[in-house]
Amino acid sequence: MLMYDIIRKKRDSEELSAAEIAFWIKGCVNGTIPDYQTTALLMAGRIRGFSPAETLSMVTNMVNSGEKVYLGDIPGVKADKHSTGGVGDKTSMVVMPIVAAAGLKVAKISGRGIGHTGGTLDKLQSIPGFRIDLTVDEFKAQVREIGIAITGQTAELVPADKKLYALRDLTATVDSIPLVAASIMSKKIATGADVLVLDVKFGSGAVFEDIDRSRELARIMVGLAHDSGIKAAAVLTSMNQPLGHTVGNALEVKEILEVLRGGGPDDLREISLTIAAELLLLGKVAPDLAEAKKIAAQHLASGAALAKFIAMVEAQGGSSDFSRLAQAGLVLPYKAKHGGYIAAIDTQKIGFAALYVGAGRTKKEDEVDHATGLILKEKLGALVKEGQALADIHCRSREQFASASWLLDDAFGFSDTPPEPQPLIADIIR
Ligand code: URA
């Protein structure tokens, strides 16, 4: 079999056989297929699409590229959650400690930042010492002992996703429904939790802006989960503005600590409680959604969720002295170019502004600067004056500030009348 022929077939819109997909994924992981051929195929697939059979083959081969974790010997209901990615989307670090505090066993593989969106692994790594490369044995032991572990893809765990994820991040091949579904579901099936909630974003900062495409992605992923024996639901949530106020790794960890201490922004708290409640419902901790939300809120208010977060940080080698989180040397205000109501936010531009100050990667080899990013001071619907600070940019230099400001100049839309409030949660697919 030749990789050249596989790329040509996809370029010409032909369907790849299961054998061809297996050949590609295996070769991509063991290095016999060079990255330039994989990225050519990814781009052809991004443009031409992949059929349901091809998507299923990708999922199966990605799962089988590493070890499948057997969690059946750990007592209790194993829970997992994944987001399709957003800007300021830090819900996993709130949701998972809540459900762990409520008795579910959290076993989660997360991802790094991808495209303009941030990633849980980068955020967790802003905690000095935090390890995201647990072995399968360490991962299982931690789930069994403290009830929560969040790790990354490794040579053992979905190595195919580790490779493809990093290549897609920088080659404009993220926004493909089959590729996102295969990437997310390979991680979820490899760890094989009993219950799973997917946070599928829509809006200007989501991978798919159009809610109908996000709904399609949600249905495909819930279907793949059910076919693998995982009870799953998908919550469709808005990314028409960043979630909470912070965008950037250490800044986001500080904000989740506020929520875990009972405060923090309302939107982040609301989405986190809804996703946690769905997990508690699927895990039969509560008989209905209202009761599940009450239980989730209690675990947040009591400090039990914070205690679980700290236990996880310490178990994974991180420092729970959060005063050690990195801080950028330069904090400069970005000021409004117009006065009026903030009627629209191009959230993708805000994600790229954070990336320009170092919070994400522009090349595969880039090190993320955990300290940098931005704090939004005003959100959708706020009435602001010309010259008022809309965000504080945390950066290392005036050049970085200038490039982020240039993007932010186009990120805010103003109107003379207040905009209609938008729903934070549009739908739940079960
Ligand atoms: N999250 C993932 O894990 N994979 C994607 O492709 C996008 C978001």
Side-chain angles (χ1 to χ4, degrees):
M1 215 176 273
L2 284 180
M3 187 61 188
Y4 181 93
D5 292 328
I6 295 175
I7 298 168
R8 184 198 47 73
K9 270 181 87 175
K10 187 44 71 189
R11 182 199 67 193
D12 296 342
S13 298
E14 288 175 43
E15 189 176 41
L16 304 180
S17 68
E20 285 166 328
I21 290 183
F23 172 81
W24 162 45
I25 304 258
K26 209 170 175 175
C28 165
V29 174
N30 69 22
T32 52
I33 292 172
D35 289 355
Y36 57 81
Q37 286 191 311
T38 286
T39 51
L41 181 61
L42 287 169
M43 184 55 86
R46 156 66 181 81
I47 294 167
R48 300 300 193 187
F50 291 98
S51 69
E54 288 174 314
T55 307
L56 189 58
S57 282
M58 284 193 283
V59 174
T60 310
N61 284 286
M62 287 167 75
V63 171
N64 293 338
S65 68
E67 266 188 52
K68 206 161 171 235
V69 184
Y70 176 66
L71 296 172
D73 52 358
I74 299 177
V77 177
K78 273 68 73 183
D80 199 352
K81 177 258 168 201
H82 208 88
S83 161
T84 55
V87 177
D89 178 18
K90 47 194 87 72
T91 48
S92 291
M93 293 182 290
V94 179
V95 170
M96 299 327 256
I98 294 176
V99 299
L104 298 185
K105 301 276 187 192
V106 171
K108 172 162 167 56
I109 302 182
S110 283
R112 292 192 177 283
I114 186 165
H116 66 280
T117 68
T120 302
L121 296 182
D122 293 326
K123 298 173 209 215
L124 286 170
Q125 278 204 300
S126 68
I127 300 171
F130 193 96
R131 283 184 57 211
I132 56 155
D133 59 349
L134 301 183
T135 63
V136 170
D137 288 345
E138 287 170 333
F139 181 67
K140 282 187 68 172
Q142 194 176 310
V143 174
R144 182 181 280 111
E145 280 153 31
I146 64 164
I148 177 166
I150 302 181
T151 191
Q153 314 98 316
T154 60
E156 272 183 301
L157 284 171
V158 269
D161 185 55
K162 186 175 168 79
K163 190 77 196 271
L164 295 175
Y165 196 92
L167 293 174
R168 285 171 56 229
D169 178 22
L170 299 158
T171 53
T173 49
V174 176
D175 57 342
S176 148
I177 290 179
L179 290 176
V180 174
S183 165
I184 292 180
M185 292 314 298
S186 63
K187 292 191 277 287
K188 304 301 97 179
I189 294 167
T191 38
D194 304 305
V195 296
L196 165 68
V197 173
L198 298 156
D199 181 2
V200 181
K201 306 283 185 196
F202 63 90
S204 65
V207 174
F208 302 104
E209 180 163 4
D210 176 19
I211 192 164
D212 291 331
R213 293 193 74 201
S214 300
R215 203 186 297 279
E216 186 189 338
L217 171 63
R219 291 216 167 98
I220 290 173
M221 292 197 292
V222 168
L224 286 166
H226 288 162
D227 292 347
S228 310
I230 302 172
K231 287 193 212 152
V235 184
L236 285 172
T237 68
S238 172
M239 197 25 76
N240 277 322
Q241 59 181 333
L243 195 53
H245 294 280
T246 57
V247 182
N249 303 292
L251 295 172
E252 294 192 43
V253 170
K254 288 179 194 161
E255 193 166 53
I256 66 107
L257 288 168
E258 282 174 31
V259 178
L260 291 172
R261 289 177 180 136
D266 289 346
D267 56 353
L268 174 58
R269 188 186 157 81
E270 176 57 24
I271 286 191
S272 301
L273 287 177
T274 302
I275 296 172
E278 278 295 322
L279 279 169
L280 297 181
L281 191 62
L282 286 171
K284 297 200 166 27
V285 173
D288 56 52
L289 201 55
E291 185 60 23
K293 229 169 162 176
K294 216 159 98 189
I295 295 173
Q298 277 161 1
H299 287 293
L300 204 51
S302 69
L306 176 64
K308 278 288 174 197
F309 181 75
I310 291 173
M312 174 182 77
V313 166
E314 290 176 347
Q316 289 183 227
S319 164
S320 56
D321 174 4
F322 297 114
S323 66
R324 289 181 58 206
L325 286 168
Q327 248 171 313
L330 201 56
V331 180
L332 295 169
Y334 170 78
K335 294 183 182 158
K337 293 272 170 287
H338 306 273
Y341 290 96
I342 302 179
I345 295 183
D346 183 337
T347 312
Q348 189 182 85
K349 290 211 165 69
I350 297 195
F352 278 121
L355 203 140
Y356 276 22
V357 296
R361 296 172 188 78
T362 56
K363 293 189 299 304
K364 209 162 146 244
E365 304 69 30
D366 281 353
E367 289 286 336
V368 163
D369 186 338
H370 292 115
T372 57
L374 51 94
I375 302 185
L376 268 194
K377 297 178 92 71
E378 302 295 343
K379 298 199 27 164
L380 280 179
L383 179 60
V384 299
K385 294 198 178 77
E386 188 182 332
Q388 183 178 331
L390 296 184
D392 280 338
I393 302 186
H394 291 235
C395 53
R396 301 283 183 188
S397 67
R398 290 199 173 262
E399 289 71 31
Q400 281 188 339
F401 174 74
S403 49
S405 298
W406 174 75
L407 270 169
L408 294 184
D409 282 347
D410 286 334
F412 295 91
F414 298 91
S415 69
D416 294 336
T417 49
E420 285 289 308
Q422 300 182 15
L424 187 58
I425 297 167
D427 202 358
I428 300 181
I429 293 165
R430 298 193 171 93

